[in-house]
């Protein structure tokens, strides 16, 4: 059969990449832990990140970015109150 199982992302590799990204970008650019994890998964999987927050990721070397074809609506009030 010519089919093969798709490559799977290594959680350990992505986690280590996230730590490296934090060490590299947290002070100069304020990279957050969630953004580092997202970027690491995208880099490890050789994907393109489509996001409405390009500015959160634009400084990461090697990361392919595309602006989202939509814009998320911002809440004008506190949803809890």
């Amino acid at each position: 059969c010519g089919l093969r199982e798709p490559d799977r992302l290594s959680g350990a590799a992505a986690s280590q990449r996230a730590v490296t990204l934090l060490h590299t970008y947290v002070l100069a650019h304020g990279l957050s832990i969630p953004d580092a994890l997202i970027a690491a998964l995208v880099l490890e999987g050789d994907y393109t990140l489509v996001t409405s927050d390009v500015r959160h990721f634009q400084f990461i070397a090697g990361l392919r970015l595309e602006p989202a074809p939509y814009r998320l609506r911002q809440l004008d009030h506190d949803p809890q109150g």
Side-chain angles (χ1 to χ4, degrees):
C1 179
L3 298 177
R4 68 180 181 93
E5 187 173 325
D7 295 334
R8 294 218 182 339
L9 288 176
S10 165
S15 295
Q16 184 56 50
R17 172 84 60 114
V19 169
T20 300
L21 291 172
L22 284 168
H23 282 288
T24 304
Y25 297 112
V26 72
L27 292 178
H29 298 283
L31 182 65
S32 69
I33 292 171
D35 286 348
L37 288 168
I38 291 167
L41 287 167
V42 171
L43 288 164
E44 286 297 316
D46 196 30
Y47 302 124
T48 297
L49 177 60
V50 178
T51 179
S52 60
D53 289 319
V54 172
R55 64 187 171 84
H56 288 200
F57 302 96
Q58 64 191 2
F59 49 83
I60 298 175
L63 186 65
R64 290 190 310 267
L65 289 171
E66 283 188 29
Y70 57 83
R71 189 72 184 152
L72 296 176
R73 186 173 61 97
Q74 299 294 322
L75 294 176
D76 294 328
H77 64 283
D78 181 5
Q80 301 296 323

